[in-house]
Amino acid sequence: MTAESVGFAIVLLAALLLVGKYLRVKVGLFQRLFLPSAIIAGFLGLLIGPEVLGRLGEALNWSWLENGGLFTDGAFEVWGELPGLLISVVFATLFLGETIPSPKRAAKLVGPQLSIGLAYGSGQYVVGILLGVLVLAPLFGVDPIFGALIEVSFEGGHGTAAGMQPAFEDMGIPEATDLALAMATVGLVTGIIIGIAVVNWGVRTGRTRVIKQVSEQSASELRGLYSDTDHVRTGVMTSRPSSIEPLTLHVAIVGLAIIIGWVLLEGLVWVEDQLWGQPDSVWPGADGEGLTLLGYVPLFPLAMIGGVIIQFVLDRTGKSYLVDQETMKRIQGLALDILIVAALATISLEVIADYWQTFLILSLAGVLFGTFMLLFFTPRIIPSFWLERGIADFGQSMGVTATGLVLLRVADPEDKSPAMEAFGYKQLFFEPFFGGGLVTALSIPVIFATGNPYWILVPMAILFIVSITAGMIYNRGVKKGRWTDPSEQAASEGV
């Protein structure tokens, strides 16, 4: 892999992104599905790459298409490495530039929102692993470990699915990456379709409090563009370019967060090697050779912790103004777009064909569970503005945070409910653990190392029950007047 091949692969990827954006602007179906340009570009790369066009060329004996389709083998080799690198950038930027709210303000809204969020994350493990134990293993001979892919794919999204690739390869299950990426696509698309349908149903039946009719999206919104009259801030200058370019400064801070994460991970692996990693370890699954858990944990959740550490230091020293949140979002968005295109374009369709029963069962289970959570449990946990507040968590649990925010914008276009604020506060407690956090990173390694899925199934089942029960008790207390719902006050303050 030469420097020239790396550069050319990135140029090709950028061209795919541009074509994907053009198709989003021109194709009405893509607009109505709110499909991100990166998803469109990724599938375009898959179609004209070795997995589709390349195999067609091989069948037709067209030698010029047989290897990489319209691309070179070198380009796909580079693209295959990008997701594992860029996911650390995505997670390192999650909390950089964020304003940490006062505990009192956050506690007012985060309770029921966190309950429903934890229920989504833990419940996906419960449903998936139970299917793995009761259906996939006995009927299809598939390792129950694949059941954990529902949370990795749906709650984690394409970024987490691709970021877990090194861990999957170390554990000898590289096919899990392709399955997870395909399932992430199913979750994202169905999440948007079902979410918009639920908002429309909520409007017709009077279950929405903010909007009484779903307004038509403008042409520019459907195309994913801003009009010439929109004034959108993409970031502020936090340093003078004569000393260092502001973007360079922010990229350097992201790099420092990743370095901190790497140091933390290496330290944790060293501690593991000194304790249960010793040959005489008595931990389950050690088999006289030591138990490896943290050695399979990818870097990206620790890079997120590195970002939190930097932001905490900046807040405590009064230097938080040096980091602009919008600039960090742009860095995150760039990394995520490139990651998604590279990951989707390099999916192995052969793996999907080999595991098609697993793919269909887990995908269907993930969609049904998410929909059931939204329609049944959410109104019983969130006392007021349940659809506005619940639709964001539904979208996140089916795709990525951006999906939840798209649905929230449809349900509350002018931010008149406390949904956005409550969702943001919940993320501070939720992101470090689920959807690519420490629980996501550790769950599959724990199952693999111990050979026992119940080490994850049991605690996740307990967390699911506790989250649901606590939320319903809180809701009942509000309904009976034992305490007031702070979201009503927050809504009046927002208006």
Side-chain angles (χ1 to χ4, degrees):
M1 188 184 300
T2 65
E4 183 179 0
S5 64
V6 171
F8 185 63
I10 293 175
V11 169
L12 285 176
L13 194 145
L16 272 177
L17 272 167
L18 195 59
V19 175
K21 180 59 189 175
Y22 176 81
L23 292 174
R24 167 63 191 268
V25 170
K26 293 296 184 180
V27 179
L29 177 62
F30 295 160
Q31 295 173 10
R32 290 190 294 274
L33 291 178
F34 290 95
L35 274 184
S37 301
I39 299 288
I40 301 170
F43 275 108
L44 178 63
L46 180 66
L47 290 174
I48 62 179
E51 284 296 316
V52 178
L53 196 58
R55 291 179 184 272
L56 179 62
E58 184 178 354
L60 298 176
N61 201 26
W62 293 347
S63 58
W64 59 283
L65 286 177
E66 287 182 8
N67 292 326
L70 295 184
F71 305 113
T72 63
D73 287 337
F76 271 81
E77 184 180 359
V78 174
W79 291 359
E81 298 295 327
L82 286 177
L85 299 173
L86 292 175
I87 188 61
S88 294
V89 177
V90 173
F91 274 77
T93 57
L94 278 176
F95 295 107
L96 285 171
E98 288 276 359
T99 300
I100 307 299
S102 67
K104 181 179 179 181
R105 178 68 177 174
K108 289 202 308 179
L109 294 173
V110 79
Q113 204 79 33
L114 186 60
S115 290
I116 200 71
L118 291 176
Y120 271 116
S122 59
Q124 287 176 346
Y125 278 115
V126 173
V127 171
I129 295 176
L130 280 177
L131 284 173
V133 172
L134 302 177
V135 179
L136 299 182
L139 296 184
F140 306 109
V142 175
D143 194 318
I145 198 172
F146 283 90
L149 291 181
I150 292 182
E151 197 274 343
V152 172
S153 306
F154 279 63
E155 191 80 57
H158 292 87
T160 301
M164 291 291 292
Q165 180 178 0
F168 290 149
E169 291 177 349
D170 290 343
M171 289 181 280
I173 49 172
E175 61 272 18
T177 303
D178 297 297
L179 281 175
L181 286 168
M183 288 168 57
T185 303
V186 171
L188 186 146
V189 175
T190 57
I192 291 175
I193 294 173
I194 295 172
I196 292 177
V198 168
V199 172
N200 279 276
W201 166 76
V203 171
R204 291 196 306 270
T205 58
R207 287 175 168 82
T208 54
R209 290 182 54 180
V210 174
I211 58 173
K212 299 307 176 185
Q213 63 178 14
V214 178
S215 58
E216 293 292 330
Q217 302 291 314
S218 67
S220 61
E221 287 176 320
L222 289 173
R223 293 196 302 266
L225 299 170
Y226 288 107
S227 67
D228 55 1
T229 59
D230 291 324
H231 301 287
V232 182
R233 184 174 66 88
T234 59
V236 298
M237 305 279 276
T238 61
S239 66
R240 296 182 183 274
S242 58
S243 63
I244 185 172
E245 178 63 35
L247 182 60
T248 306
L249 174 64
H250 284 70
V251 170
I253 292 173
V254 173
L256 178 59
I258 296 173
I259 291 173
I260 293 173
W262 177 81
V263 171
L264 290 174
L265 181 58
E266 290 297 309
L268 290 173
V269 170
W270 181 84
V271 171
E272 177 181 69
D273 289 342
Q274 304 306 309
L275 299 177
W276 56 84
Q278 293 292 328
D280 57 352
S281 172
V282 295
W283 284 74
D287 297 329
E289 299 180 0
L291 180 65
T292 299
L293 294 176
L294 299 175
Y296 296 122
V297 174
L299 174 58
F300 64 85
L302 279 302
M304 176 181 62
I305 301 300
V308 172
I309 292 172
I310 291 176
Q311 188 60 44
F312 177 79
V313 172
L314 291 174
D315 287 344
R316 293 299 295 266
T317 58
K319 303 294 184 183
S320 57
Y321 63 88
L322 293 174
V323 179
D324 176 60
Q325 183 184 18
E326 291 300 321
T327 302
M328 283 299 176
K329 286 182 179 179
R330 302 291 73 77
I331 295 173
Q332 180 189 81
L334 172 63
L336 189 58
D337 279 346
I338 296 174
L339 182 157
I340 289 173
V341 177
L344 290 180
T346 54
I347 285 179
S348 172
L349 296 180
E350 184 177 356
V351 168
I352 306 301
D354 291 341
Y355 288 85
W356 68 269
Q357 301 100 327
T358 301
F359 168 69
L360 287 178
I361 290 171
L362 293 180
S363 297
L364 182 61
V367 172
L368 292 177
F369 172 75
T371 306
F372 180 74
M373 282 291 302
L374 173 63
L375 297 179
F376 184 81
F377 279 120
T378 301
R380 290 167 172 80
I381 290 177
I382 299 178
S384 56
F385 297 97
W386 73 264
L387 197 148
E388 290 85 354
R389 293 176 62 177
I391 201 70
D393 275 290
F394 169 77
Q396 182 186 32
S397 73
M398 296 289 286
V400 290
T401 302
T403 306
L405 295 178
V406 166
L407 294 176
L408 176 56
R409 179 168 173 77
V410 175
D412 185 11
E414 298 181 10
D415 198 21
K416 290 185 176 181
S417 77
M420 179 65 77
E421 186 179 14
F423 182 73
Y425 291 163
K426 184 220 71 174
Q427 295 296 88
L428 296 175
F429 300 93
F430 182 82
E431 286 284 0
F433 301 101
F434 288 93
L438 296 177
V439 172
T440 304
L442 279 169
S443 59
I444 292 182
V446 167
I447 297 173
F448 176 80
T450 62
N452 189 345
Y454 293 98
W455 281 95
I456 296 298
L457 176 60
V458 172
M460 289 298 105
I462 294 173
L463 179 59
F464 177 75
I465 293 171
V466 170
S467 299
I468 291 293
T469 303
M472 294 178 72
I473 289 174
Y474 173 82
N475 191 353
R476 189 175 298 121
V478 171
K479 295 286 177 63
K480 292 186 176 181
R482 285 199 290 267
W483 50 74
T484 59
D485 179 16
S487 63
E488 294 290 349
Q489 179 185 353
S492 62
E493 292 174 356
V495 178

